[in-house]
Amino acid sequence: MGAAVFFGCAGIAFGPALALVLLTVAAEPLRVIVLVAGAFFWLVSLLLASLIWFVLVHLSDREDAKLQYGLLIFGAAVSVLLQEAFRFAYFKLLKKADEGLATISEDGRSPISLRQMAYVSGLSFGIISGVFSVINILADSIGPGIVGIHGDSPYYFITSAFLTMALVLLHTFWGVIFFDACEKRRYWCLGLVVASHLLTSGLTFLNPWYEASLVPIFIITFCTGLWAFFTAGGSFRNILKCLSCKQEDDSRVMRYSALQVPFED
Amino acid sequence: MITFMNNSDSEEEPCNERTSLMSAESPPVPSYQDGLQASEAGEAQAHRKRRTGSGRSPNNIADGDTSDLGVPVRESALENEEEELTLKYGAKHVIMLFVPVTLCMIVVVATIKSVRFYTEKNGQLIYTPFSEDTPSVGQRLLNSVLNTIIMISVIVVMTVFLVLLYKYRCYKFIHGWLILSSLMLLFLFTYIYLGEVLKTYNVAMDYPTLFLVIWNFGAVGMICIHWKGPLQLQQAYLIMISALMALVFIKYLPEWSAWVILGAISIYDLMAVLCPKGPLRMLVETAQERNEPIFPALIYSSAMMWTVGMAKPDTAARGPSQQTWDTAEDGRENHRSPSHTGSRMSETRSPVPTRPITSFEEVEEEERGVKLGLGDFIFYSVLVGKAAATASGDWNTTLACFVAILIGTRQPFSSPLPSTERDGHPCPPPPSQGARGPPAAPLVFPALSSCVEQGCSLKALEGKCEGKP
C-alpha cells in the first residue's frame, strides 16, 4: 500500500497513454483541442447512460438483488451503445471541422488529417474512460488499508490498472477503425467494433475471476491493435522501413515550380 | 519514428509552373512566410485563386490575373487571411490558456483535498447573510436565492461605481483601490494560507522566518503585478492570487448559495456585456473612445508586447510591461467587471494603438498573446473547488468539471470571429458567442454526476460487482 502501489498502478494504467500524448498530441494545439473535446463527448455519453440507469434503479424494486444486478448489466450495455453513438457524433463533427479547416487554409488542405483526428479522438475516449474507471481506486491506494480483507481478491488494484491500460488502448484502436469504417461506409466494421466493445464490457463482469476476464481482454486488445494498424495503412514493409531508420532516397530532380522567383521591389 | 506525425503543418506552398509562368505582369510569385504579407494586389489575387479554386483551369487563372478586382479583392483577401490566422492562432491561444487555468485549478483542488481549513464551515461573508442550516429544503433554497440576489446586487453596484470612476477619470482612486486589494491578497491571505498548510503538515516555523518569507513573497508580488517583472513570474503571481481568492470563496460561501451564485453570475455577465446600458459595455465603449486598453493588469496575458509602434520583436522588451494599471484586487465585483470585458474582447489579439499591418512581418505569433480576465480564473477555480469539496471524496466529479471548463474556454476557437476587433479596438462580441454560455456545462455536470455517483457508490457497496462500461 501507499506510494509504491499508487505510482505503480498509475504507471501501468496510464503509461502508454501518457507516452502517446506527450509524443504525438502535446506539441500540436489542434490535436490537444480534439483530445479535450473528445473527452467531453465521452463524458456526455456517460452522463446520459448514468441518468438512464439512475432512473431505472429508482423506478424498480431496490431490494431485489438479482434485478439490480440485471439493471447494472443493462446499464453497462446502454453505456457502451451510447459511447459508440457519441463516437459517431464526434466523427460527424470532426468531418465538418475538417472541411471547414480545409476551405479556410491557404492551400486547401486542412492542417490535421481525418486519420490523425481518428487516432486522437480514440485516444481521448480511452484516456477519459480509463481515468473515470481508475482514479478513485488510485486515490484509495494511497491511504492505509488492506486490500480484500473481507474476502475479496487481494489483486484488485493491479488488475484494475491492467484493465485500464487495456481499455485506453482499445478505445484508441476502436477510434481509428470506427472513423475509417464510417469514411468508407463499411458498416460491418462498425458492427464489429460495437460488438467487441460490448464483449469487453461483458467480460469485466466476470471480474474476481481474473483469468477469464483479463486474458481474453488482452487478446482482444492485441487483435484490435493489429486490425487498427492495418486499417491505418500500416504494413509489414512499413515496420521494416521504420525499424531500419533508413533515410528516404530523394532521387527526384528538384521541380522547377519549387524554385522561387526573387522579389522585385 | 516520432517525426511521422509532425508534418501536419503544411510549410510548402505549391506554386505550380502555370502560375509562375503566367503571372508575368503581376507581382512575383509569393513565397510562403509566416504572418501577413504586404498587401499587394497580385498576392491577393493569388490567394483568392488558391482559396477558391483548386481545380480551376489555367484559363481562368489567366483571366483572373489582370482583372481589375483591385481594392475589394485586397480587402476581402486581407479579411480572409485574418480569418485564417485567427483560426490558426486561435488554437494555439486556446492552448496557451489551458495551461494557466489548469494550474490554478490544480492548486485549488490540491489545497481543498489536503488542507481541512478550507472545507470547514466557519461563518459566512456579510454578503451572504442568510444561513443554510434550515430544516426544510424549500427554506434552504429560498435562503440561497436571497443570498445570490444580495451578492449580485453588490457586484452590480461595485461595477457601476468602477465604471463611473473610470468615466470621470479618477484613475488615482482606481489605482489606490487596486493596490490596496492586492496588498491584502498578497500579504494577509497568503499568511493565512501558509499558516493552514503548515498546520496540516505539522511543520513548525518560527515567526522571523515566516515574516521573511511572507515579506519577500508579497513585495515581489506587488512589484511584478503593478510595475515590471519577468513575464512568467507575473503569470505565476496572478495564478496564485486567483487561487487564493477562489479558496476564500469556497470556504465562505455556503453550498447551495455558491452554485446559484455561479449560475447567476454567468447570466449577469452575458447581460452586462451585451445590453446597451450594461456597465461592462459602457466600460468597453469608453475605453474605445479614449483609445486605451481596458485595465490590462487585471487580466492574465500570455505575452506582453504592447509597446507602442513596435516593429521588431525585442526580447528585452518582454520584461517591461505597459501595465501602469493595477492588477487583481479584492472585491469580486472588480474582478467580474473589467476582467470579463478583457476576456470577452481580447481573446485574439489587441495591441494598444492602431498599428500598420506591415509591422507584423517581424512580430512572431507568440507576441500576439491571449488574455483572460482574472475573474474567469477565479470563477473556474471556485467551480472545480466546490466540486472537489462537496463530492464525497469522489474524483470523477472534479474531473468532469475540469473537462467541461476546458471546453468552455475553447469557445473563442470554436466560433471564429473575424471581426472581434477592428483596427485594434475591441468590439463587444456578437450575441452568438456570448450565448454559448460556457458555464452551463460545468454547472450541469457536478450537480447531476454527484447525484448519480452517490447512487452508484451505494449500489457498488451493496452488490459488490464491478462491471465496467
Side-chain angles (χ1 to χ4, degrees):
Chain A
M1 289 296 291
V5 174
F6 172 74
F7 282 111
C9 288
I12 292 175
F14 296 116
L18 192 66
L20 286 173
V21 166
L22 282 179
L23 286 177
T24 56
V25 174
E28 293 257 337
L30 267 180
R31 289 181 206 161
V32 176
I33 290 182
V34 172
L35 193 82
V36 176
F40 184 69
F41 269 70
W42 187 89
L43 277 179
V44 176
S45 84
L46 184 73
L47 190 65
L48 285 179
S50 48
L51 273 176
I52 293 177
W53 174 82
F54 193 66
V55 165
L56 282 177
V57 160
H58 276 261
L59 287 179
S60 67
D61 180 17
R62 294 284 205 114
E63 307 304 315
D64 190 351
K66 268 193 117 33
L67 178 65
Q68 296 300 320
Y69 191 65
L71 276 181
L72 195 62
I73 298 184
F74 177 69
V78 165
S79 166
V80 167
L81 293 173
L82 274 174
Q83 283 178 45
E84 298 302 329
F86 270 80
R87 207 197 292 272
F88 183 70
Y90 197 40
F91 165 73
K92 285 271 172 224
L93 180 73
L94 284 180
K95 195 117 201 292
K96 220 178 282 190
D98 192 38
E99 287 162 14
L101 283 170
T103 44
I104 273 193
S105 85
E106 266 193 17
D107 57 352
R109 287 195 332 246
S110 103
I112 181 172
S113 78
L114 198 63
R115 275 214 180 131
Q116 291 175 5
M117 289 203 271
Y119 158 71
V120 177
S121 79
L123 187 59
S124 70
F125 270 46
I127 291 178
I128 191 75
S129 160
V131 163
F132 262 63
S133 310
V134 95
I135 196 88
N136 282 323
I137 299 175
L138 285 178
D140 284 336
S141 72
I142 301 183
I146 300 179
V147 193
I149 195 172
H150 291 293
D152 300 305
S153 160
Y155 303 114
Y156 180 54
F157 287 166
I158 195 149
T159 51
S160 303
F162 274 107
L163 198 57
T164 308
M165 174 173 82
L167 196 64
V168 170
L169 292 173
L170 270 174
H171 268 285
T172 313
F173 301 147
W174 283 330
V176 172
I177 299 171
F178 194 95
F179 276 44
D180 188 74
C182 286
E183 269 289 281
K184 303 205 172 101
R185 300 189 188 278
R186 289 200 199 130
Y187 295 119
W188 60 274
C189 278
L190 285 187
L192 212 56
V193 164
V194 178
S196 76
H197 195 169
L198 281 168
L199 178 64
T200 310
S201 178
L203 279 173
T204 61
F205 279 94
L206 295 174
N207 242 349
W209 188 19
Y210 290 122
E211 298 85 355
S213 68
L214 269 189
V215 174
I217 287 182
F218 269 91
I219 295 176
I220 295 178
T221 310
F222 184 68
C223 297
T224 322
L226 279 179
W227 185 13
F229 178 69
F230 287 115
T231 310
S235 65
F236 195 53
R237 269 184 53 216
N238 279 354
I239 300 183
L240 283 181
K241 220 193 293 184
C242 210
L243 286 175
S244 68
C245 295
K246 238 191 292 187
Q247 291 287 340
E248 234 193 52
D249 223 4
D250 203 351
S251 54
R252 294 173 298 165
V253 178
M254 189 173 179
R255 289 185 302 170
Y256 173 76
S257 53
L259 296 174
Q260 288 170 2
V261 180
F263 254 89
E264 280 154 298
D265 269 310
Chain B
M1 279 177 46
I2 300 174
T3 54
F4 79 103
M5 286 278 272
N6 286 356
N7 46 0
S8 60
D9 285 310
S10 50
E11 290 290 321
E12 317 84 55
E13 200 57 29
C15 337
N16 54 31
E17 288 85 324
R18 297 199 182 282
T19 50
S20 310
L21 286 174
M22 290 169 122
S23 56
E25 301 132 64
S26 49
V29 174
S31 57
Y32 182 79
Q33 279 181 17
D34 275 344
L36 300 173
Q37 289 295 316
S39 48
E40 288 151 350
E43 210 151 22
Q45 290 181 13
H47 259 289
R48 273 186 73 78
K49 272 180 278 178
R50 227 169 277 125
R51 283 174 52 82
T52 51
S54 40
R56 281 249 209 104
S57 68
N59 302 327
N60 289 350
I61 296 176
D63 288 339
D65 224 3
T66 48
S67 65
D68 48 351
L69 295 172
V71 173
V73 173
R74 186 180 300 151
E75 277 186 5
S76 62
L78 261 181
E79 261 183 43
N80 286 335
E81 280 179 20
E82 276 195 28
E83 193 177 299
E84 175 198 333
L85 278 164
T86 309
L87 207 55
K88 189 170 169 181
Y89 300 134
K92 191 162 184 157
H93 292 168
V94 169
I95 303 303
M96 289 202 288
L97 280 185
F98 274 5
V99 174
V101 170
T102 311
L103 278 175
C104 193
M105 290 198 273
I106 287 177
V107 170
V108 170
V109 170
T111 310
I112 293 277
K113 290 281 187 189
S114 52
V115 178
R116 205 154 300 271
F117 173 71
Y118 288 104
T119 40
E120 285 164 3
K121 285 268 25 160
N122 220 346
Q124 293 179 203
L125 298 169
I126 54 165
Y127 305 107
T128 52
F130 294 95
S131 152
E132 284 196 7
D133 283 330
T134 53
S136 74
V137 173
Q139 183 72 17
R140 189 172 184 186
L141 195 61
L142 180 69
N143 281 353
S144 54
V145 170
L146 288 172
N147 280 338
T148 308
I149 292 177
I150 296 178
M151 184 75 138
I152 298 284
S153 23
V154 169
I155 290 179
V156 169
V157 163
M158 301 304 282
T159 310
V160 168
F161 184 47
L162 185 71
V163 170
L164 285 175
L165 283 177
Y166 186 66
K167 211 169 168 105
Y168 293 114
R169 299 179 190 270
C170 309
Y171 294 148
K172 283 215 180 329
F173 193 94
I174 299 181
H175 279 211
W177 187 0
L178 294 179
I179 286 184
L180 204 63
S181 51
S182 54
L183 260 176
M184 198 172 95
L185 267 173
L186 281 171
F187 287 100
L188 180 65
F189 287 3
T190 310
Y191 169 69
I192 296 175
Y193 180 77
L194 195 59
E196 292 306 321
V197 168
L198 291 175
K199 260 189 241 174
T200 306
Y201 291 106
N202 206 14
V203 173
M205 189 185 267
D206 53 316
Y207 273 111
T209 313
L210 185 73
F211 174 72
L212 200 66
V213 167
I214 300 245
W215 169 249
N216 277 302
F217 180 82
V220 175
M222 290 299 288
I223 293 176
C224 271
I225 293 173
H226 294 270
W227 192 49
K228 300 178 190 181
L231 175 68
Q232 278 171 335
L233 196 60
Q234 194 208 30
Q235 291 172 338
Y237 268 106
L238 289 176
I239 293 176
M240 276 190 271
I241 57 178
S242 309
L244 281 174
M245 200 66 231
L247 284 169
V248 166
F249 279 130
I250 294 172
K251 179 172 172 62
Y252 288 113
L253 284 180
E255 280 187 29
W256 288 26
S257 307
W259 293 113
V260 181
I261 286 177
L262 282 171
I265 274 195
S266 350
I267 301 175
Y268 160 71
D269 265 341
L270 286 177
M271 287 185 1
V273 172
L274 298 177
C275 283
K277 273 302 170 190
L280 296 181
R281 194 173 179 124
M282 284 175 48
L283 195 65
V284 172
E285 284 167 3
T286 320
Q288 247 177 288
E289 287 164 30
R290 295 184 197 167
N291 226 336
E292 279 169 5
I294 297 190
F295 300 126
L298 280 172
I299 293 170
Y300 174 97
S301 95
S302 56
M304 301 197 296
M305 299 307 295
W306 317 129
T307 46
V308 175
M310 183 202 70
K312 253 200 157 112
D314 197 0
T315 43
R318 274 188 196 277
S321 69
Q322 277 292 84
Q323 298 172 0
T324 54
W325 295 94
D326 312 306
T327 320
E329 22 57 303
D330 166 47
R332 25 258 170 256
E333 52 283 355
N334 296 330
H335 273 142
R336 296 313 305 159
S337 48
S339 63
H340 223 83
T341 336
S343 75
R344 288 268 180 253
M345 44 95 184
S346 0
E347 268 146 355
T348 50
R349 54 238 180 263
S350 53
V352 171
T354 58
R355 41 44 185 167
I357 291 184
T358 47
S359 73
F360 264 112
E361 280 184 48
E362 311 285 352
V363 175
E364 295 162 9
E365 47 198 70
E366 286 82 28
E367 320 273 326
R368 289 181 279 165
V370 63
K371 298 176 172 181
L372 183 65
L374 285 187
D376 283 331
F377 275 87
I378 297 178
F379 177 74
Y380 299 150
S381 308
V382 170
L383 255 171
V384 174
K386 269 292 177 195
T390 56
S392 43
D394 193 13
W395 284 89
N396 288 344
T397 318
T398 314
L399 280 168
C401 260
F402 170 68
V403 174
I405 285 174
L406 286 187
I407 291 293
T409 316
R410 71 179 274 278
Q411 93 176 355
F413 174 67
S414 55
S415 60
L417 300 167
S419 56
T420 320
E421 60 165 50
R422 296 187 193 286
D423 306 325
H425 289 270
C427 295
S432 61
Q433 189 190 20
R436 189 178 294 264
L443 282 177
V444 164
F445 262 107
L448 286 178
S449 57
S450 57
C451 289
V452 172
E453 262 141 356
Q454 276 181 17
C456 214
S457 54
L458 283 173
K459 261 351 295 168
L461 280 174
E462 291 169 40
K464 280 200 277 200
C465 43
E466 340 159 0
K468 288 208 203 307

